[in-house]
Amino acid sequence: MASGGSDNTPSQHANRLIKEKSLYLQQHAHNPVDWFPWGQEAFDKAVREMKPIFLSVGYSTCHWCHVMERESFENEEIGQILNENFVSVKVDREERPDVDKVYMTFLQATGNGGGWPMSVWLTPDLRPFVGGTYFPPHDGVRRVGFRTVLLRIAKQWKQNRTSLCERSEGILDALQRSCDTQRAGEPPPFLQVQDRCFKQLEHMYDEEYGGFSEFPKFPTPVNLSFLFCFWALKKGAPEAAQALHMALHTLKMMSYGGIHDHIGKGFHRYSTDQTWHVPHFEKMLYDQAQLAVSYAEAFQISGNALFADVARDILQYVSEHLSDGDGGFYSAEDADSLPKKEAQEKKEGAFATWHADEIRHLLPDIEASVGKTWADIFIQHYGVREEGNVSSSQDVHGELTGRNVLIVRSSLEFTAAKFHLAPEQVQSILSTCRERLYHARKLRPAPLLDNKIVAAWNGLMISGFALCGVILGDFEYVKRAEHAASFLHGHMYDTDTGTLWRSCYWSGPESSSNLVPGFLDDYAFVIRGMLDLYEASLDPKHLEWAVQLQHKQDNLFWDQTGFGYFSTDDSDPSIVLRLKDDQDGAEPSGNSVSVGNLLRLSCYTGLERWAQQSGHILAAFSERLEKVPAALPEMVRGAMIYHKTIKQVLILADGDHSSFLYHQLPFMSTLERKDGKATAYVCEGMALLPASLLPR
């Protein structure tokens, strides 16, 4: 229930969203707003009544989406204004990233920033003419309130409809032209691109706390992957050492920060401050997937056990909290939760934060040798304050007053020295304390779990478990990845048509999928997951499925005119722009991931066409790569691999491998057989293939 008086009391009636499977849409099913899901019913009503569409886009675990719902969408007066003047449409961005991308592109191009909740007003033919993100309900000193915005737009629509429609048409045409890629002859010079990418990241880098901005601070694993690749290719050079330092320092500071859940494990979505201290508390599957790989690779490079421990920490969190028993991975956990079972209003961070007196109550044990309690040691190490350690500037709604976000404020050695204990003793004490707080926290009302299973994010998580299994030497992780792959193939893939579905709301064999066909990211990320899993397990069925999915991706999304992949196919007339994502952000773009996928698949299968397509993508995005490569670090990494031919050593087991001998693999450089047994050979790509996939 919203605060602020009776005028904000939400209606008890149910609108159309009550029939939707999306948890985010269901959260708005009892608003007084007459919401429609994205679809023809809403579009027809807008045309019939000549009303503009108010489009609201968000996701179930978004804190500011919850805030705007409480303040505005549960407000009866605002609901009435919306119902009388607009056709209101609610979209889950995780379920329909195609809709989200079109209007987010408009929002950013018109200088209105970006983020969620996204609020955009459209003509009845779905063309945007004005937009924003979060609006407070009423006018303030610095911001116009949502009520005022609605009334102004309604008035403009009645008085200046023709000019608004002409403006929207012009904006859309300009957006389409700006988003088109131009077919270029060759990929850009990779040395220049990789060096510029490094320089741009170095310029953005926070030398003290790590990361690549002041605040807010996002993990951006794509930056770390590029830096590791840059270091590997330029070992010995000063800039290589700096690249490695930037990546490792960032990962270390994140692991110490409040963005890392020291009690429940895993990482929150992003930090609101420079020091990684106070996060927005939602936990997203795609972050866990990519960060697990980043930490495992950091361990592989540095040998520092801290990084291996954090990777295992992430995978444990996913296994315990985001895993379906049938194999899939859930999308996210919410930022907000009830502070107590009897509470009526959720608060951000209620599940993850602590009062100092709670900690003292839970950790009263006295360390006899020093006369201090375990609470004293824990409070020192994790920066706990009696009055709370979150400043009011980072807590605009006062939800964290008096509470503490745990953050490692001193090294293990410093804490040990302060209490005259051995580091090993302190480590053991802190471990026991964390375990005790974990069990105490489980008694709190848990944040809402979004059990939507998204194909793209499951692909990323399959990569995470498979790669960590190899790097950390734990085959159980590989088996978990195989379980997820089996789920995707069995429940989110149509074997008759080769279609991958975007999302699934799973509650057992009797449940049905949300039959939205997959987008580019779904195909690209699942393909990469299958390739990583194949290399971890050497089970050819994963490679076979990757090959099938790549053919389908080419058929659905490849641009024969300008090269590269569109984010969507051309089957949905409600998508007014076909875009090509040119940004590697919280997730890598589908085109960036496809560069690497195509190169690997070309090496595996001998299909030179796929290697050529990889180069065509780089050529299509050459202007972006040459000017601002730091916007596409995953694609820059792909360019580095493209220009540095893949080479791997293979050892074939004893036995008859005649299928490899009789097919002249174009990428094979040497092959020897002695006494009927195959020995090691070096080739341009791996060749442990089923005979059915070898080139004829």
Side-chain angles (χ1 to χ4, degrees):
M1 181 177 292
S3 60
S6 59
D7 63 326
N8 281 14
T9 303
S11 169
Q12 296 305 307
H13 83 283
N15 57 48
R16 293 168 186 80
L17 301 186
I18 197 69
K19 298 179 180 179
E20 295 298 308
K21 294 177 182 177
S22 160
L23 180 60
Y24 175 65
L25 299 188
Q26 289 179 1
Q27 288 171 344
H28 293 77
H30 295 284
N31 296 164
V33 180
D34 188 19
W35 290 115
F36 287 76
W38 182 265
Q40 198 60 47
E41 184 184 5
F43 310 152
D44 290 345
K45 178 179 172 65
V47 171
R48 186 172 60 252
E49 299 180 7
M50 275 310 295
K51 287 182 178 178
I53 292 171
F54 167 62
L55 174 66
S56 176
V57 183
Y59 56 101
S60 69
T61 60
C62 166
H63 170 67
W64 284 101
C65 299
H66 299 329
V67 172
M68 191 164 178
E69 181 191 14
R70 290 196 300 266
E71 293 178 341
S72 294
F73 300 144
E74 290 181 353
N75 183 297
E76 293 284 356
E77 181 191 5
I78 288 177
Q80 185 177 357
I81 294 171
L82 281 167
N83 296 341
E84 290 177 356
N85 296 282
F86 305 93
V87 176
S88 300
V89 175
K90 178 64 75 172
V91 167
D92 182 339
R93 66 170 285 256
E94 297 167 358
E95 190 177 74
R96 293 300 304 259
D98 52 340
V99 177
D100 176 66
K101 181 62 180 175
V102 167
Y103 299 107
M104 187 63 72
T105 300
F106 158 77
L107 204 62
Q108 292 169 335
T110 52
N112 290 294
W116 299 274
M118 176 169 64
S119 306
V120 182
W121 286 263
L122 321 177
T123 63
D125 60 354
L126 308 181
R127 296 172 180 270
F129 60 88
V130 70
T133 52
Y134 162 80
F135 291 95
H138 305 294
D139 296 346
V141 176
R142 298 180 180 178
R143 298 195 69 169
V144 177
F146 190 55
R147 179 184 180 278
T148 301
V149 170
L150 290 174
L151 293 173
R152 287 179 181 176
I153 292 174
K155 182 178 180 180
Q156 284 294 311
W157 181 257
K158 291 174 183 176
Q159 296 179 351
N160 300 304
R161 183 180 307 168
T162 301
S163 62
L164 287 177
C165 290
E166 290 174 351
R167 178 176 180 270
S168 71
E169 186 171 353
I171 290 172
L172 208 63
D173 290 344
L175 283 178
Q176 185 65 75
R177 289 193 300 273
S178 69
C179 294
D180 288 339
T181 55
Q182 299 299 317
R183 180 182 294 201
E186 297 293 333
F190 93 100
L191 289 175
Q192 174 184 323
V193 168
Q194 73 172 26
D195 289 347
R196 181 167 294 169
C197 185
F198 168 71
K199 289 295 184 185
Q200 289 176 352
L201 289 177
E202 185 181 36
H203 178 72
M204 295 186 286
Y205 175 64
D206 181 344
E207 188 67 46
E208 186 172 4
Y209 296 105
F212 302 92
S213 62
E214 286 192 17
F215 62 88
K217 259 189 177 154
F218 289 82
T220 55
V222 288
N223 291 345
L224 306 174
S225 294
F226 162 76
L227 292 170
F228 285 147
C229 192
F230 185 83
W231 165 80
L233 287 180
K234 304 197 74 164
K235 280 183 184 177
E239 60 268 32
Q242 173 66 358
L244 185 59
H245 163 74
M246 288 160 60
L248 296 182
H249 182 60
T250 295
L251 288 167
K252 187 174 292 186
M253 296 305 293
M254 283 172 50
S255 74
Y256 294 155
I259 191 175
H260 182 199
D261 186 347
H262 297 280
I263 303 303
K265 307 185 187 303
F267 280 79
H268 302 293
R269 183 164 171 252
Y270 68 94
S271 173
T272 62
D273 62 279
Q274 185 179 3
T275 67
W276 304 104
H277 179 204
V278 182
H280 276 312
F281 290 87
E282 62 262 39
K283 289 181 177 177
M284 313 302 296
L285 180 66
Y286 59 77
D287 283 326
Q288 317 308 321
Q290 296 175 89
L291 285 171
V293 175
S294 294
Y295 278 99
E297 290 179 340
F299 165 69
Q300 188 178 34
I301 291 168
S302 69
N304 187 336
L306 165 70
F307 298 126
D309 290 343
V310 177
R312 293 188 184 97
D313 162 306
I314 295 169
L315 298 183
Q316 182 179 343
Y317 164 72
V318 172
S319 296
E320 293 179 356
H321 298 281
L322 296 182
S323 286
D324 182 88
D326 288 315
F329 297 107
Y330 300 138
S331 296
E333 281 193 313
D334 205 342
D336 296 10
S337 61
L338 294 173
K340 297 179 181 179
K341 291 180 181 179
E342 63 272 17
Q344 297 296 309
E345 183 178 342
K346 293 182 178 181
K347 292 187 177 182
E348 185 182 22
F351 187 70
T353 56
W354 302 87
H355 288 290
D357 57 2
E358 289 181 274
I359 294 173
R360 294 195 182 279
H361 175 73
L362 291 165
L363 305 174
D365 315 60
I366 296 176
E367 192 63 25
S369 62
V370 294
K372 295 290 186 179
T373 65
W374 284 4
D376 293 327
I377 298 170
F378 189 89
I379 284 170
Q380 161 67 32
H381 193 73
Y382 285 104
V384 175
R385 296 179 180 176
E386 299 298 329
E387 70 278 13
N389 67 4
V390 179
S391 70
S392 58
S393 62
Q394 294 171 271
D395 182 27
V396 294
H397 291 100
E399 294 176 302
L400 299 175
T401 301
R403 304 187 70 86
N404 289 273
V405 178
L406 302 183
I407 178 172
V408 176
R409 287 298 193 191
S410 58
S411 68
L412 194 66
E413 291 74 16
F414 182 87
T415 301
K418 183 175 179 64
F419 290 95
H420 307 289
L421 295 168
E424 298 77 20
Q425 288 177 278
V426 172
Q427 189 172 36
S428 177
I429 290 169
L430 292 175
S431 178
T432 304
C433 292
R434 290 193 300 269
E435 186 71 15
R436 194 175 295 176
L437 265 61
Y438 174 74
H439 288 293
R441 202 173 83 169
K442 286 176 70 174
L443 300 176
R444 297 174 175 176
L448 207 60
L449 172 69
D450 190 333
N451 67 348
K452 178 167 62 266
I453 297 174
V454 175
W457 300 354
N458 273 251
L460 291 174
M461 200 68 246
I462 288 169
S463 288
F465 271 98
L467 291 170
C468 287
V470 172
I471 294 170
L472 302 177
D474 190 335
F475 195 71
E476 289 301 312
Y477 292 151
V478 180
K479 288 170 64 177
R480 181 64 187 91
E482 290 189 306
H483 195 198
S486 177
F487 179 90
L488 287 184
H489 193 276
H491 302 293
M492 299 183 68
Y493 179 64
D494 187 329
T495 55
D496 293 332
T497 64
T499 301
L500 185 67
W501 303 115
R502 167 65 180 179
S503 58
C504 173
Y505 298 88
W506 186 251
S507 58
E510 74 283 356
S511 67
S512 59
S513 296
N514 168 35
L515 299 180
V516 175
F519 305 105
L520 172 62
D521 289 359
D522 297 298
Y523 283 85
F525 295 1
V526 172
I527 290 167
R528 183 160 81 173
M530 292 306 101
L531 293 176
D532 290 335
L533 182 53
Y534 168 65
E535 292 178 4
S537 67
L538 294 182
D539 187 335
K541 70 182 179 185
H542 305 308
L543 178 58
E544 290 172 344
W545 193 29
V547 170
Q548 293 163 8
L549 289 172
Q550 188 61 60
H551 284 302
K552 187 69 173 181
Q553 177 181 313
D554 291 347
N555 291 335
L556 290 174
F557 307 110
W558 184 253
D559 180 6
Q560 298 287 352
T561 303
F563 289 163
Y565 291 103
F566 291 110
S567 297
T568 60
D569 64 21
D570 59 359
S571 63
D572 188 345
S574 72
I575 303 304
V576 294
L577 284 177
R578 287 189 81 192
L579 302 171
K580 296 175 186 173
D581 197 357
D582 61 354
Q583 184 87 19
D584 294 325
E587 305 167 57
S589 75
N591 273 290
S592 294
V593 171
S594 292
V595 171
N597 289 348
L598 290 165
L599 287 171
R600 295 165 77 182
L601 285 167
S602 178
C603 289
Y604 282 132
T605 64
L607 289 178
E608 181 61 27
R609 171 172 64 85
W610 276 338
Q612 293 171 351
Q613 274 183 249
S614 181
H616 291 332
I617 295 172
L618 296 172
F621 289 89
S622 58
E623 182 177 2
R624 181 83 156 161
L625 287 169
E626 291 189 46
K627 290 182 178 178
V628 280
L632 283 167
E634 181 66 20
M635 191 175 289
V636 176
R637 194 168 76 98
M640 295 157 77
I641 298 170
Y642 177 84
H643 287 279
K644 291 285 187 180
T645 307
I646 299 171
K647 292 186 178 181
Q648 295 197 2
V649 175
L650 272 179
I651 300 176
L652 297 184
D654 293 350
D656 181 12
H657 295 280
S658 57
S659 60
F660 293 98
L661 290 175
Y662 297 145
H663 296 91
Q664 297 300 310
L665 301 182
F667 44 81
M668 188 182 298
S669 58
T670 64
L671 174 64
E672 299 179 24
R673 290 178 67 91
K674 297 178 181 178
D675 302 323
K677 297 179 180 180
T679 60
Y681 63 89
V682 180
C683 60
E684 296 299 311
M686 295 182 69
L688 274 175
L689 298 171
S692 62
L693 289 178
L694 291 169
R696 302 290 180 180

